[in-house]
């Protein structure tokens, strides 16, 4: 199944010149949604992983079912101020300025090995910051899983040394 | 299983005097997460539903696995400006001011019947606005499912005429 056929292209979103790859149409296509989750399940079942980590908020849409299917805990990485207990923060650079993400300090511990799930690998800034958060808790990153990879933005360069998997790849805008 | 034992109480979050019911501990407890999803699955399997709707962003965590388990499409309701294609918006009142949520215009159509999933039923403002969005597309709301219901805030009063289900209930702060 070609998942890209279920992903909608939206020109000029969120700003002129950008083609946004819209996964809401994939979610609304029951066979495509099932196929995407089956692919993740096949890749990560039987692997030495103790938890699934999802990055807010579209990472939750694929990470939560994956955790559920694998029978593993689901851990959230969120935007600042959203997690209520004690957190660790990690900032990362954007095109203009910086942003940051957070994880609960007690979400993971030494010995945990996780797969980090997000919908999109673009420049890799968020993903690299997520790995730093996991490692700051003493846990290990087994791998990254993305639904869409914009490979022309070379996000994998920021994730060297990690196993990176994507369900679809776009080699140009 | 008493799911409330897996939910953590955080006093004074997001502001003084509020006890926040933190479901991240439930997600990290694999048996509790499984039990919560099993309860939803039992209630909604075999029901006359054509899609599951999740409200950003914690609604995605329970809505996406439920849609996946039921083999149904998953539809997103998001904060303003997040959905890339043509949307319908609905505003609702907060304690101070207003907020709004959006759905893609082509996400549902006449004849669709949905369950709306969110983590929290508090005053019911977001949930009632979500029902209006669904109905503005010509679709029907079969029911609402929540993980946590703060019944002392009387959110059900805003959802009269709908089937409302919650996995846990808190009768006082």
């Amino acid at each position: 199944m070609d998942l890209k056929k279920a992903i909608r292209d939206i020109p000029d979103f969120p700003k002129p010149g950008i083609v946004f790859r819209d996964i809401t149409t994939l979610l609304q296509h029951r066979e495509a949604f099932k196929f995407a989750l089956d692919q993740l399940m096949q890749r990560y079942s039987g692997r030495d992983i103790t938890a699934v980590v999802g990055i807010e908020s579209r990472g939750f849409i694929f990470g939560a079912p994956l955790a559920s299917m694998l029978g593993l805990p689901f851990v959230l990485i969120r935007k600042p101020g959203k997690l209520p207990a004690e957190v660790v923060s990690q900032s990362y650079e954007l095109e203009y300025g910086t942003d940051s993400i957070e994880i609960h300090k007690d979400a993971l511990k030494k010995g945990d090995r996780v797969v980090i799930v997000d919908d999109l690998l673009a420049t890799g800034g968020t993903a690299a910051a997520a790995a730093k958060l996991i490692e700051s808790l003493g846990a290990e990153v087994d791998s990254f899983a993305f639904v869409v990879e914009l490979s022309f933005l070379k996000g994998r360069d920021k994730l060297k040394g990690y196993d990176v998997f994507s369900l679809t790849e776009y080699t140009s805008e």
Side-chain angles (χ1 to χ4, degrees), chain A residues 52-125:
Chain A
V52 175
V53 176
I55 301 180
E56 181 172 10
S57 65
R58 282 186 298 254
F60 296 172
I61 297 169
F62 295 90
L66 180 63
S68 158
M69 290 186 297
L70 294 171
L72 291 177
F74 186 53
V75 170
L76 311 185
I77 287 185
R78 299 201 66 180
K79 312 264 159 69
K82 298 288 190 72
L83 289 170
E86 204 180 348
V87 297
V88 187
S89 295
Q90 180 66 48
S91 62
Y92 56 96
E93 284 181 30
L94 300 174
E95 199 180 350
Y96 304 100
T98 64
D99 210 340
S100 65
I101 49 176
E102 300 184 340
I103 194 168
H104 273 150
K105 253 187 181 162
D106 59 3
L108 295 166
K109 56 187 188 312
K110 198 166 156 37
D112 278 320
R113 284 178 59 79
V114 308
V115 52
I116 300 175
V117 180
D118 205 355
D119 70 316
L120 179 71
L121 175 58
T123 63

Side-chain angles (χ1 to χ4, degrees), chain A residues 18-83:
Chain A
I18 305 284
V19 180
F20 188 85
R21 309 300 176 169
D22 177 20
I23 57 148
T24 66
T25 42
L26 185 160
L27 300 172
Q28 286 162 225
H29 186 304
R30 64 180 83 194
E31 290 81 14
F33 187 30
K34 181 178 187 318
F35 182 81
L37 293 174
D38 284 350
Q39 295 287 105
L40 293 175
M41 186 62 187
Q42 273 176 38
R43 186 165 178 102
Y44 297 104
S45 72
R47 203 154 164 145
D48 178 23
I49 291 172
T50 63
V52 175
V53 176
I55 301 180
E56 181 172 10
S57 65
R58 282 186 298 254
F60 296 172
I61 297 169
F62 295 90
L66 180 63
S68 158
M69 290 186 297
L70 294 171
L72 291 177
F74 186 53
V75 170
L76 311 185
I77 287 185
R78 299 201 66 180
K79 312 264 159 69
K82 298 288 190 72
L83 289 170

